[in-house]
């Protein structure tokens, strides 16, 4: 059976205020063409279909178009909700849509109930594990501690229990939306840390033939059977080095996996440039970036006049301007934005306590801060579910 594994479409998302809906529509067209030309048997979409719980109408219309085009191919699609999606909204009409071969899996309680597809070698069971917010699903899975590893482990126990009842030789595919140990994050994924821990070990997924992961935006192979497809488009400059693609996965009669990357269309390349303004404007080696979306980091010791206007004369698609002046140590002054870059809410809060009090929080105080952030995030997720 040939699968096309994709995830993290983030329909409705912009890139530094640039509307990406046209590029997202081009990707959907590319996906449909790939399914048809590469004789794909099933499509799997591992969450974050939308960029937010209440997506703009244009994004909903594009999703509707995607569903119709996939259904018209007659190729089954299995899709789960991610942490950016509203599971309830995405799952509306799932029963009816399933009759057209588009199988939406957004309910945690259905983790052990597969979509069964077949080929010449027998059945393949597809188990959809939507994003599992630990605080909201721990009772459903009967776990004492609200953590990612605990709830995913319990969900996978249901998968393995169901698989054990299937005919011998039944192959299995799991779709999951999670941060798995060994994966490399970028700046564009929403933090899902709970209790100070975001990642779960890949061993949680033992016992199945292929695990189609979503959440991290870089295409990655954790093991031959556990992979991230990554997002089809870049959503932050931290992804400038990414090769955006989907996985074309073949499951043979015995469940052995072979996989090939299929590149996605690139609407415009990304470039991260660093140097003084005069150097960036004069360096002939940068000519190849003149049509790229540019993030420019200026190292001038004194902020130059009209830097964005001057940059856009050479690089008309400059979207981000960062100042990192190279000064002597006694002159060094780091901006507030630069101090926060790459730091979690927990780290920022602990830094604030240290700044105000003159001493960092002890372990007990750090735990209180962590519990507060977890509670706020869980409350936010609960409000989204209740909308």
């Amino acid at each position: 059976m040939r699968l096309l594994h994709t995830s993290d479409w983030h329909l409705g998302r912009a890139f530094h205020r640039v509307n990406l809906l046209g590029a997202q529509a081009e990707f959907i067209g590319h996906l449909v063409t790939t399914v048809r030309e590469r004789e794909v048997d099933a499509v799997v979409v591992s969450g974050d279909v939308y960029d937010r719980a209440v997506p703009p109408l244009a994004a909903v219309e594009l999703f509707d178009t995607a569903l119709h085009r996939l259904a018209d191919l007659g190729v089954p699609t299995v899709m789960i909700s991610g942490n950016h999606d509203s599971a309830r909204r995405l799952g509306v009409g799932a029963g009816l849509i399933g009759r057209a071969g588009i199988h939406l899996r957004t309910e945690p309680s259905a983790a052990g109930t597969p979509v069964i597809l077949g080929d010449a070698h027998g059945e393949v069971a597809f188990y959809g594990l939507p994003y599992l917010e630990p605080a909201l699903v721990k009772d459903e899975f009967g776990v004492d501690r609200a953590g990612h590893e605990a709830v995913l482990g319990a969900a996978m126990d249901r998968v393995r229990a169901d698989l054990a009842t299937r005919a011998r030789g039944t192959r299995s595919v799991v779709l999951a939306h999670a941060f798995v140990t060994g994966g490399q994050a970028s700046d564009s994924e929403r933090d899902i840390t709970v209790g100070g821990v975001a990642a779960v070990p890949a061993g949680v997924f033992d016992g199945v033939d292929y695990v189609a992961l979503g959440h991290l935006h870089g295409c990655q192979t954790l093991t031959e059977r556990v992979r991230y497809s990554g997002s089809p488009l870049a959503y932050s400059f931290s992804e400038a080095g990414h090769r955006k693609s989907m996985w074309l996965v073949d499951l043979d009669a015995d469940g052995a996996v072979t996989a090939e990357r299929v590149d996605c269309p690139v609407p415009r390349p990304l470039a991260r440039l660093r140097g003084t303004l005069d150097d960036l404007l004069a360096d002939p080696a940068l000519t190849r970036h003149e049509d790229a979306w540019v993030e420019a980091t200026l190292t001038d010791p004194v902020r130059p006049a009209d830097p964005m206007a001057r940059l856009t004369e050479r690089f008309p698609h400059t979207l981000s301007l960062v100042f990192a002046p190279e000064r002597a140590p006694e002159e060094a002054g780091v901006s507030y934005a630069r101090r926060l870059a790459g730091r979690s809410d927990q780290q920022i809060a602990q830094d604030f306590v240290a700044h105000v009090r003159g001493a960092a929080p002890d372990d007990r105080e750090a735990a209180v801060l962590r519990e507060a952030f977890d509670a706020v995030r869980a409350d936010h997720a609960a409000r989204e579910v209740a909308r």
Side-chain angles (χ1 to χ4, degrees), residues 127-177:
Y127 298 90
L129 310 186
Y131 172 67
L132 302 175
E133 175 60 50
L136 300 182
V137 302
K138 66 183 183 69
D139 292 338
E140 165 65 34
F141 290 105
V143 298
D144 295 328
R145 186 172 180 274
H148 288 290
E149 183 174 355
V151 296
L152 267 173
M156 281 302 300
D157 286 342
R158 292 189 185 183
V159 168
R160 287 183 283 263
D162 179 84
L163 194 56
T165 70
R166 303 282 164 184
R168 183 179 178 84
T170 298
R171 289 156 292 162
S172 53
V173 175
V174 165
L175 291 73
H177 195 87

Side-chain angles (χ1 to χ4, degrees), residues 3-5 219 221 227-229 246-249 259-261:
L3 317 175
L4 187 64
H5 167 199
C219 183
T221 300
R227 300 170 187 262
Y228 282 100
S229 67
M246 302 176 285
W247 284 113
L248 193 66
V249 177
E260 171 191 346
R261 289 179 72 175

Side-chain angles (χ1 to χ4, degrees), residues 1 18 25 65 67 75 77 85 106 113 117 131-132 136 152 165 179 198 204 209 230 233 306 309-310 321 328 330 380:
M1 181 171 286
V18 174
T65 298
L67 294 184
V75 175
T77 297
D85 299 309
T106 63
T113 304
L117 303 178
Y131 172 67
L132 302 175
L136 300 182
L152 267 173
T165 70
F179 189 170
V204 164
D209 293 309
L233 298 171
D306 300 320
R310 294 168 64 188
L321 187 56
E330 63 274 15
H380 176 74

